[in-house]
Amino acid sequence: PLLVDQISMYQIFQVDEIGQISMLSTPSSSLSLHVQGVVGKQYRFAVQTRYVNGSGSRVSLWSSNVSIPATFPIALSPPVLQLVSSCSRCIQVSWTFSNVAPNNGGNANISFEIQDTVDSLSITTGDVRTFTLSNLRTQIFHYISIRAKNSIGFGPLSSSSSIFLNPTFPDAPTNLRVVDGSYAVIGGVIQVTLSWVVPRSGDNQKLVNYRLYNTTTLNDLDQGTIISVAFGDANEFTVKNLVGGMEYTFRLNAINSQNIEGPSSNSVFFVAGEVPPLAMNA
């Protein structure tokens, strides 16, 4: 047997699963070597020793097969966030990732998970580099992070990127008018019916309410009359308890499911009385 102090150099050789031999190192006195290879591929190794006295060298037996295991993917850079012009409740998320070792941990079967901490949202995508998040809350900052996943599991979560989503305003109701023949005095109560064309609510949200204002008396304390909307398509409302002889100027605003009030409709001038009143539909 040889003593360690009789050996001057080591040299490492590798043979892959198809029998191809390659030299991994130049002669060195080091007793270890870091080897890179393809995940899942089988390798065997041999060590050649060189002696101090110059009497030659000896090659060890080949090692047993060694398979390089897969690891977790690397951490990604923070994603790039962009607003989507056609959808005010959407965020386009994009990122960069090179699906090669060691980035993918040696496993090319990569997917990605996008997280929005504000809406407690977690979405897994395929091997893509852009994705659009939709139906998000507005009037708030969203903080978006991303991480890669392979067959072993998830890599580290990236730092977050933030973006503010502006509110989605419904359109103004149009053609607000007094319905012909709707004026009535029932049990001493004066009433009239208003109608309008239902506006768009914005990004396919539902209209949940309207707010009817009498702009003649509107002040800081007058918040208008809330009109509940059944199924989002109500387009008439009967105003009751009008005062005879008083002038009214009505306008109407729509409120969507995010409790955002849109701009006002056209105004309608109306004078209540005991006889058919004066109504001017603008």
Side-chain angles (χ1 to χ4, degrees):
L2 294 171
L3 300 177
V4 172
D5 59 5
Q6 293 178 295
I7 301 173
S8 63
M9 294 291 180
Y10 300 93
Q11 195 165 11
I12 311 300
F13 293 86
Q14 167 188 291
V15 60
D16 62 20
E17 55 193 4
I18 62 174
Q20 184 174 350
I21 298 176
S22 57
M23 182 177 65
L24 297 182
S25 69
T26 57
S28 168
S29 60
S30 175
L31 296 177
S32 65
L33 179 68
H34 178 73
V35 177
Q36 289 186 332
V38 178
V39 171
K41 193 173 183 179
Q42 300 287 327
Y43 297 93
R44 290 184 295 156
F45 302 93
V47 180
Q48 182 185 52
T49 56
R50 295 187 178 185
Y51 309 136
V52 173
N53 59 13
S55 59
S57 63
R58 178 181 296 179
V59 177
S60 71
L61 297 176
W62 289 102
S63 69
S64 301
N65 285 334
V66 176
S67 178
I68 298 177
T71 59
F72 296 102
I74 64 169
L76 279 69
S77 299
V80 176
L81 308 180
Q82 291 180 311
L83 297 176
V84 180
S85 59
S86 60
C87 175
S88 58
R89 297 181 64 197
C90 300
I91 296 174
Q92 185 182 70
V93 185
S94 58
W95 60 94
T96 58
F97 183 82
S98 180
N99 192 2
V100 296
N103 298 348
N104 58 16
N107 188 308
N109 186 19
I110 287 289
S111 60
F112 298 93
E113 183 186 64
I114 303 170
Q115 295 185 8
D116 178 1
T117 55
V118 171
D119 277 343
S120 299
L121 182 67
S122 177
I123 294 179
T124 300
T125 74
D127 188 8
V128 297
R129 301 297 182 271
T130 184
F131 189 83
T132 299
L133 302 175
S134 58
N135 296 319
L136 302 174
R137 286 186 292 165
T138 59
Q139 302 187 86
I140 199 170
F141 273 98
H142 289 264
Y143 296 88
I144 310 297
S145 301
I146 189 168
R147 59 180 178 172
K149 180 184 180 183
N150 63 12
S151 60
I152 302 299
F154 286 104
L157 194 65
S158 74
S159 299
S160 64
S161 299
S162 63
I163 195 168
F164 184 80
L165 282 187
N166 290 308
T168 305
F169 292 94
D171 291 345
T174 56
N175 196 28
L176 180 66
R177 60 188 299 273
V178 174
V179 176
D180 293 340
S182 66
Y183 174 81
V185 181
I186 302 176
V189 175
I190 303 174
Q191 64 182 44
V192 71
T193 299
L194 302 175
S195 70
W196 59 89
V197 175
V198 176
R200 295 183 304 172
S201 59
D203 289 343
N204 297 318
Q205 298 179 67
K206 291 183 178 180
L207 291 178
V208 294
N209 290 308
Y210 290 97
R211 181 173 278 122
L212 180 66
Y213 292 99
N214 171 20
T215 56
T216 304
T217 60
L218 184 63
N219 55 52
D220 291 340
L221 299 178
D222 185 356
Q223 297 301 310
T225 300
I226 291 293
I227 305 171
S228 295
V229 177
F231 310 111
D233 58 359
N235 66 341
E236 285 191 356
F237 181 72
T238 299
V239 185
K240 299 180 179 180
N241 298 313
L242 301 177
V243 178
M246 179 170 285
E247 298 178 352
Y248 295 88
T249 302
F250 295 114
R251 61 182 176 87
L252 189 71
N253 296 24
I255 302 172
N256 65 19
S257 57
Q258 293 212 315
N259 200 33
I260 298 174
E261 184 171 341
S264 295
S265 68
N266 58 292
S267 296
V268 172
F269 177 74
F270 177 81
V271 180
E274 294 297 334
V275 295
L278 172 65
M280 296 180 63
N281 293 319

